[in-house]
Each structure stands twice: as structure tokens, then as C-alpha cells.
Amino acid sequence: MADKILEFVHTSTGKQIAAALGLPVPPMLKRAKAGYAEKSLANANALVGASAFGPAATAVVKALNAMGASIKVSADLAGLDGVKQAAVKAKVEVSISQADNGVPENVYVLDVTAAATVADLRLLYDFFNPRLRKVPSNSRIVVIGRPRGDSKDALAETAQSSLPGFIRSLAKESGKNGTTANLIQVKTGAENAIEGALRFFLSPHSAFVTGQVLPVVGAPKGVKVTAFSEKPLTGKLAVVTGAARGIGAAIAEVLAREGATVIGVDRPADESVLGTTMSSIGGIACPLDITDTDAGKKLAEVAADKGGKIDIIVHNAGITRDKMMRNMAAHLWDMVLDVNLGAIVRCNDQLLADDAFGANARIVCISSIGGIAGNAGQTNYAATKSAVIGYVDAMAKQLEGKGISINAIAPGFIETQMTAAIPVVTREVARRLSSLSQGGLPVDIAEAVTFMASPLANGVNGATLRVCGQNLVGA
């Protein structure tokens, strides 16, 4: 369902009325119109700062150069020498920022992995304070730090622990014009995986992702971080459950855009719709009830019939059966738990037991911000979506030795048939409860899933990424 208020306030009449009444104007987000491109930042000026010279600063400079960005530095920053040294090591040219001459940057990357004292955090202020008033719309901000536990020094851990709070607050300040701000926490030794995360966060593919913290911990056993290639999923076989329509159909479409062959799964009752969706992307329709006790074995057979193993599986299928706990019938509890959680566990167990996953396979599970914050009347649904987050974290530790990664995506308010059925006032409030003042689109979830399913996320494992425009629920 279209956001009529968003559309109206961006007409000439709507702008005048909004200005006269002092109404907020949600930004028009620039979403990707095509697949990932090698030189995705070819027309971008990227301001780079670093607390010190080191592997993260070098990796950042190399990544931005590979994306085609024009790398800028500012003479008034204490971290200037770190960037310059990184550029020399990477053999990359940098130039002085021309923001004061009317050419502001639209990409901002600050490496504070070396911040180890309270005084070191001053760089956050020095880097952003003079520039935020002039940040162009739909700009991208990324701060790079270290995950908790990376250092044995208490003060260094303290300094790094400031960054999630900082980035969440900065995202709420900068979202008014469609700018996003995110934090990458790169584990020491995993710096070579920074480029993939930067390609996602600095691109229109992440238009509805802001205020988030993504750990980059290094690739699972046997997985190599390789150079970027366009259509990175070429030759991959991907399974998407709940693929007939809505978010599932969007996921299937974006995976296919990046080169994957998609096996779309949905209820036999939706076989006709599923067939239409799959035929539009050259995919394979697989009418199947995912709660069947042998659903995983059947999916393995379908993959084998197509000459391969499953490289990607996206557990998207899910249902709601909302009732206050005191009024909920037992069968409604059981149904939601089985579809949203039991089916995922059974399916993965069977695929693992049958050796049906390809080398370096990717598992992506769909959680929800409802599983993070909870909602009245959704104890069954929230329990499953919270469990998915825990499942992903626990399974990552078990699967990394097999070269398999598993991650989750937690959507917020997304414009779908389900949310279109919400009462109009409730729906309108839900749309505005985010830093970007609007709901997301199915393609926003699809883009995040595709990132997690691709080599861009080689260093990401056991993570849950919210795609919610930094919704205030559970923030």
C-alpha cells in the first residue's frame, strides 16, 4: 500500500501546505535501481578520517578506492596522518575536502578502531560537528570500531562501547533528509572483510537501514574473502520459503537479479501465484508445506534434480495469529511456533544431515523487531522471532567449522498486504515511528537478505540486522 502522505508532501502543493503548517516531510529515499556495480561510488566524494594508522584505515581506503570514490581528507582533523599513511600504503590518491567551497561530501567514513581512551572519542565530535548541517540528502555515514571483547584493556573496551550509542543517536539526527548512519564493528584480523560491508552500507541497497551495528568477525572455515564481482550469486542455487508474494517474492527477485537460480517455496494452495512469481525471474516453483516433517528432505531432492546442492536458503515463511495471551487458544500458539520456528529448525537439521548444503552455504532467517521489543497480543509471534535471533547466534558457532554462515534480518514496519489491513490511524503512526519517518518496502528486506547471502557478507556470521528505518520500537 502506498504512503499517500509521503507522496503528497513531495508535490509542489504538498510542500507549501507542509511548510505552512510546520508538518514534518518524510524524505524520499533513493533505492537501488539495479544490481551491485563495481564502481558504485564513481560519482561520490568520500570524507575519510581515522584515529590512527592501522589495518582498518588501510582497508577502508582500499575499499573506497575499489568502489571508485574520490577520497577526501580534512586538514583540521587530528587523524589526518592516519589516513595519509593508509593511502600511501594502499597506493591510493587522496585530496583535501572542498566542502567549504560548496562541494560537500555525500559519503563519510570514520575509523575509530584505535580509540582506547575517553580523550580519543573527541575525534567523533571533530569529524561530524562541523559538517552535519551541510550533509546532502541520502548521504551515507559509517563509523568503524571494534566489537566488545576485542581488547583486554578495560579503558579501550569502554571507549569502543560508546560507539553503538553514538551511532544510534547520530542516525536519529541525520535521518530527516534520508541520510543513514551505521556502525561496523570489525574484529581484529578481519579487516579484509570490511569492503563487502561498506559496499552495502554506502549504497542505495541499504536505503532503509540506519542506526544499526553490524559485527564483522571474519569468514567461516574455508571461506576466502575474494575481490568483488558483479552478479556475485551467479551459479548459486537459492531456496526462498514463502516466495509467492510480498517480501518473499521480492527476495526471490533480488537474489535472481544478482545471478542466483531461485527455488521458490510456498503452500500448495498458492501454487498458481507461486508459479507466476517464479516464471517472471526464471525460477523454479516448489509447492510445499514447510511444516511437513520431511520438508527439508524434499527440498534437498528438488535441488538434486536441478543438478546441485543448496547454496542459499532464506527462511522467510511465517504467520501471525494474534490474540492476548489470556485469550489465546492452544492451537494458535502451536501453529505459530511450528511455522515460524519449528519448520526452520527441522528443515536445517535435515539439510545438514543429508549433506544438502553446498560449500560455503548461506542461511538467512527472517526475524522481526517484534521479537526484539514485543507486542501486546503477539506473545506467540514474538517468542518465535526472538528465538530466531538466539538460534542464529547459537548455530553460527556450530556451523562456522563447516564453512557455513547463518544470519538474520529483522524487519520493521514494511508496506505489505498485511500492514495495509491495519487500521488507518495505527498504520500512520507506525509509519512515522522511525528515524526516516516512513515504512519500508519489501525490496528493502530483499536487499538486506541478498547482502547476507552474498560474498559481500563473508565476514558476517551470527548477526541480526534490523531493517526498520531505525524504528523506535525496540531501538
Side-chain angles (χ1 to χ4, degrees), residues 288-312:
L288 173 66
D289 185 341
I290 60 163
T291 62
D292 285 354
T293 55
D294 59 351
K297 293 181 179 295
K298 291 178 180 178
L299 289 175
E301 292 171 359
V302 173
D305 287 343
K306 301 305 172 184
K309 295 185 177 184
I310 295 172
D311 299 298
I312 300 161

Short mmCIF file of all heavy atoms in Angstrom, two decimals, residues 288-312:
data_model
loop_
_atom_site.label_atom_id
_atom_site.label_comp_id
_atom_site.label_asym_id
_atom_site.label_seq_id
_atom_site.Cartn_x
_atom_site.Cartn_y
_atom_site.Cartn_z
N LEU A 288 5.01 -26.56 -1.49
CA LEU A 288 5.36 -27.44 -0.39
C LEU A 288 4.97 -26.78 0.93
O LEU A 288 5.21 -25.60 1.13
CB LEU A 288 6.87 -27.71 -0.39
CG LEU A 288 7.47 -28.49 0.78
CD1 LEU A 288 6.97 -29.91 0.78
CD2 LEU A 288 9.00 -28.45 0.72
N ASP A 289 4.35 -27.55 1.81
CA ASP A 289 4.06 -27.08 3.15
C ASP A 289 5.33 -27.23 3.98
O ASP A 289 5.79 -28.35 4.23
CB ASP A 289 2.92 -27.90 3.76
CG ASP A 289 2.47 -27.37 5.11
OD1 ASP A 289 3.23 -26.62 5.74
OD2 ASP A 289 1.36 -27.72 5.54
N ILE A 290 5.89 -26.11 4.42
CA ILE A 290 7.18 -26.18 5.11
C ILE A 290 7.08 -26.86 6.47
O ILE A 290 8.10 -27.20 7.07
CB ILE A 290 7.82 -24.78 5.28
CG1 ILE A 290 6.88 -23.87 6.10
CG2 ILE A 290 8.18 -24.17 3.95
CD1 ILE A 290 7.57 -22.65 6.64
N THR A 291 5.86 -27.02 6.97
CA THR A 291 5.70 -27.72 8.25
C THR A 291 5.66 -29.23 8.08
O THR A 291 5.59 -29.94 9.09
CB THR A 291 4.44 -27.25 8.99
OG1 THR A 291 3.28 -27.56 8.21
CG2 THR A 291 4.48 -25.75 9.25
N ASP A 292 5.70 -29.71 6.85
CA ASP A 292 5.80 -31.17 6.64
C ASP A 292 7.03 -31.68 7.38
O ASP A 292 8.09 -31.04 7.34
CB ASP A 292 5.92 -31.50 5.16
CG ASP A 292 4.60 -31.36 4.41
OD1 ASP A 292 3.57 -31.11 5.08
OD2 ASP A 292 4.59 -31.50 3.18
N THR A 293 6.91 -32.82 7.99
CA THR A 293 8.02 -33.34 8.78
C THR A 293 9.26 -33.63 7.96
O THR A 293 10.37 -33.66 8.49
CB THR A 293 7.59 -34.61 9.53
OG1 THR A 293 7.08 -35.57 8.57
CG2 THR A 293 6.50 -34.29 10.55
N ASP A 294 9.09 -33.85 6.66
CA ASP A 294 10.24 -34.13 5.80
C ASP A 294 10.45 -33.04 4.75
O ASP A 294 10.97 -33.31 3.67
CB ASP A 294 10.09 -35.50 5.13
CG ASP A 294 8.83 -35.60 4.28
OD1 ASP A 294 7.97 -34.67 4.35
OD2 ASP A 294 8.68 -36.60 3.55
N ALA A 295 10.07 -31.81 5.08
CA ALA A 295 10.19 -30.71 4.11
C ALA A 295 11.64 -30.50 3.69
O ALA A 295 11.93 -30.24 2.51
CB ALA A 295 9.63 -29.41 4.71
N GLY A 296 12.57 -30.61 4.62
CA GLY A 296 13.98 -30.43 4.29
C GLY A 296 14.47 -31.47 3.30
O GLY A 296 15.21 -31.15 2.36
N LYS A 297 14.06 -32.71 3.49
CA LYS A 297 14.46 -33.78 2.57
C LYS A 297 13.89 -33.53 1.17
O LYS A 297 14.57 -33.77 0.16
CB LYS A 297 13.97 -35.14 3.10
CG LYS A 297 14.66 -35.58 4.38
CD LYS A 297 14.16 -36.93 4.83
CE LYS A 297 14.87 -37.39 6.10
NZ LYS A 297 16.33 -37.61 5.89
N LYS A 298 12.66 -33.05 1.10
CA LYS A 298 12.06 -32.75 -0.20
C LYS A 298 12.80 -31.62 -0.91
O LYS A 298 12.99 -31.67 -2.14
CB LYS A 298 10.59 -32.41 -0.02
CG LYS A 298 9.73 -33.59 0.41
CD LYS A 298 8.27 -33.19 0.62
CE LYS A 298 7.43 -34.38 1.05
NZ LYS A 298 6.02 -34.00 1.32
N LEU A 299 13.22 -30.61 -0.13
CA LEU A 299 13.98 -29.51 -0.74
C LEU A 299 15.33 -30.01 -1.25
O LEU A 299 15.79 -29.59 -2.33
CB LEU A 299 14.19 -28.39 0.27
CG LEU A 299 12.96 -27.57 0.65
CD1 LEU A 299 13.29 -26.58 1.74
CD2 LEU A 299 12.41 -26.84 -0.58
N ALA A 300 15.95 -30.91 -0.53
CA ALA A 300 17.22 -31.48 -0.97
C ALA A 300 17.03 -32.24 -2.28
O ALA A 300 17.89 -32.18 -3.18
CB ALA A 300 17.78 -32.41 0.10
N GLU A 301 15.90 -32.95 -2.40
CA GLU A 301 15.62 -33.69 -3.63
C GLU A 301 15.40 -32.75 -4.81
O GLU A 301 15.86 -33.02 -5.93
CB GLU A 301 14.39 -34.57 -3.42
CG GLU A 301 14.60 -35.72 -2.44
CD GLU A 301 13.31 -36.43 -2.09
OE1 GLU A 301 12.24 -36.02 -2.61
OE2 GLU A 301 13.35 -37.38 -1.28
N VAL A 302 14.68 -31.66 -4.56
CA VAL A 302 14.45 -30.68 -5.64
C VAL A 302 15.78 -30.10 -6.11
O VAL A 302 16.03 -29.96 -7.31
CB VAL A 302 13.51 -29.56 -5.17
CG1 VAL A 302 13.40 -28.46 -6.23
CG2 VAL A 302 12.12 -30.11 -4.87
N ALA A 303 16.64 -29.75 -5.16
CA ALA A 303 17.95 -29.20 -5.52
C ALA A 303 18.77 -30.22 -6.30
O ALA A 303 19.42 -29.88 -7.30
CB ALA A 303 18.70 -28.77 -4.26
N ALA A 304 18.74 -31.47 -5.86
CA ALA A 304 19.49 -32.52 -6.56
C ALA A 304 18.98 -32.71 -7.97
O ALA A 304 19.76 -32.94 -8.91
CB ALA A 304 19.39 -33.82 -5.78
N ASP A 305 17.67 -32.60 -8.15
CA ASP A 305 17.08 -32.73 -9.51
C ASP A 305 17.58 -31.62 -10.43
O ASP A 305 17.62 -31.79 -11.65
CB ASP A 305 15.56 -32.68 -9.43
CG ASP A 305 14.97 -33.96 -8.85
OD1 ASP A 305 15.68 -34.98 -8.82
OD2 ASP A 305 13.80 -33.93 -8.44
N LYS A 306 17.94 -30.50 -9.83
CA LYS A 306 18.44 -29.37 -10.62
C LYS A 306 19.97 -29.41 -10.74
O LYS A 306 20.58 -28.47 -11.23
CB LYS A 306 18.00 -28.05 -10.00
CG LYS A 306 16.48 -27.91 -9.90
CD LYS A 306 15.82 -28.10 -11.26
CE LYS A 306 14.31 -28.15 -11.14
NZ LYS A 306 13.66 -28.44 -12.46
N GLY A 307 20.53 -30.51 -10.29
CA GLY A 307 21.96 -30.73 -10.51
C GLY A 307 22.88 -30.14 -9.49
O GLY A 307 24.07 -29.93 -9.76
N GLY A 308 22.39 -29.88 -8.29
CA GLY A 308 23.30 -29.29 -7.32
C GLY A 308 22.82 -29.38 -5.90
O GLY A 308 21.83 -30.04 -5.58
N LYS A 309 23.54 -28.69 -5.03
CA LYS A 309 23.17 -28.57 -3.62
C LYS A 309 22.68 -27.15 -3.37
O LYS A 309 22.79 -26.26 -4.21
CB LYS A 309 24.37 -28.91 -2.74
CG LYS A 309 24.83 -30.36 -2.85
CD LYS A 309 25.94 -30.67 -1.86
CE LYS A 309 26.34 -32.14 -1.93
NZ LYS A 309 27.36 -32.49 -0.90
N ILE A 310 22.14 -26.95 -2.19
CA ILE A 310 21.59 -25.64 -1.83
C ILE A 310 22.71 -24.73 -1.34
O ILE A 310 23.38 -25.02 -0.35
CB ILE A 310 20.50 -25.80 -0.75
CG1 ILE A 310 19.32 -26.59 -1.32
CG2 ILE A 310 20.04 -24.43 -0.25
CD1 ILE A 310 18.28 -26.96 -0.28
N ASP A 311 22.92 -23.63 -2.05
CA ASP A 311 23.94 -22.66 -1.66
C ASP A 311 23.39 -21.61 -0.71
O ASP A 311 24.13 -21.06 0.12
CB ASP A 311 24.49 -21.96 -2.90
CG ASP A 311 25.15 -22.92 -3.87
OD1 ASP A 311 26.14 -23.57 -3.48
OD2 ASP A 311 24.65 -23.05 -5.01
N ILE A 312 22.10 -21.32 -0.84
CA ILE A 312 21.45 -20.27 -0.04
C ILE A 312 20.06 -20.76 0.34
O ILE A 312 19.33 -21.26 -0.53
CB ILE A 312 21.32 -18.95 -0.83
CG1 ILE A 312 22.69 -18.41 -1.26
CG2 ILE A 312 20.55 -17.91 -0.03
CD1 ILE A 312 22.60 -17.41 -2.40
#
